[in-house]
Amino acid sequence: NNYKDRKMNILEAVESSLQSRMDKHAFDINVWVNNQHAEGALDKLLTSISKYEKAASEFEVLKKIKDQVSSEPPVEPVANNED
């Protein structure tokens, strides 16, 4: 069970990182929508949308991984003894 807890801890860390990235890109999108007359705003908005889309897609994949891990029976890692 400790091994499964460690797997979930790393997945939760990834989830937090992805949520943070999505929040940053959502903020950037809002900035460029509200400053659309600034030089380069269109390109910066498109870049921010693309980055948000990538993080959101990764977040969806992570949710599927977490669902799979939480439904797996606990398995202990096998020691690699190549002596």
Side-chain angles (χ1 to χ4, degrees):
N1 195 5
N2 190 25
Y3 179 66
K4 188 173 183 178
D5 290 342
R6 287 194 311 254
K7 286 196 299 188
M8 290 307 287
N9 286 342
I10 195 168
L11 293 176
E12 289 169 5
V14 171
E15 180 178 21
S16 177
S17 175
L18 289 172
Q19 286 176 326
S20 176
R21 286 174 36 203
M22 288 169 53
D23 288 346
K24 182 211 180 301
H25 300 313
F27 176 81
D28 291 345
I29 288 167
N30 190 46
V31 166
W32 296 117
V33 166
N34 288 309
N35 294 299
Q36 53 188 283
H37 298 296
E39 186 175 333
L42 177 63
D43 289 336
K44 291 175 183 178
L45 175 60
L46 290 170
T47 298
S48 296
I49 291 170
S50 178
K51 289 179 178 181
Y52 181 91
E53 178 186 33
K54 184 178 187 302
S57 175
E58 291 172 354
F59 187 79
E60 289 303 314
V61 170
L62 177 66
K63 286 192 331 190
K64 291 177 184 176
I65 292 169
K66 283 180 73 174
D67 289 344
Q68 182 179 353
V69 167
S70 65
S71 67
E72 289 177 356
V75 176
E76 289 295 321
V78 178
N80 188 1
N81 295 326
E82 295 183 14
D83 297 307

